[in-house]
Amino acid sequence: MTGIEREPAEVRIPKSALGVRTVAMRTWPNDGLEWMYPVGTWEDEHLEVALMAGGEEVWLRMSTDRSSVAVWTIEQWWAFSGELPGATPPSA
């Protein structure tokens, strides 16, 4: 996607978004990306995550500010998700 400026950002994720095991997917018309979010939270504040083509980047945004996107490498995402409550170690 062109036109996105990348700069360091602080990512704050609500604790309520951390224990989610079931996600829904919605294609956002503005960017054409398939965003994942916790089932049943579309009307509430929630974290949205999109895996980029090729699987090397993960984009994160809050539903309250969809114009701001944090870009993580897949390694950063795996490190973060491995620390979530109930996370299982990746298979070797």
Side-chain angles (χ1 to χ4, degrees):
M1 180 177 196
T2 60
I4 292 191
E5 295 181 29
R6 295 183 183 204
E7 59 185 52
E10 180 176 311
V11 177
R12 293 182 182 212
I13 301 170
K15 287 185 180 182
S16 61
L18 298 181
V20 174
R21 295 189 180 270
T22 305
V23 297
M25 298 175 82
R26 181 176 280 193
T27 301
W28 197 247
N30 296 352
D31 56 26
L33 298 176
E34 203 166 51
W35 291 90
M36 294 173 272
Y37 64 95
V39 168
T41 64
W42 189 252
E43 300 300 323
D44 303 321
E45 179 182 61
H46 61 269
L47 175 70
E48 298 175 348
V49 178
L51 179 63
M52 294 296 99
E56 295 179 12
E57 287 183 344
V58 177
W59 288 13
L60 300 97
R61 68 183 184 187
M62 287 301 300
S63 60
T64 53
D65 182 10
R66 291 188 172 106
S67 64
S68 297
V69 176
V71 179
W72 286 3
T73 64
I74 194 67
E75 291 81 11
Q76 290 172 303
W77 173 254
W78 283 122
F80 168 75
S81 62
E83 297 296 320
L84 295 175
T88 56
S91 57

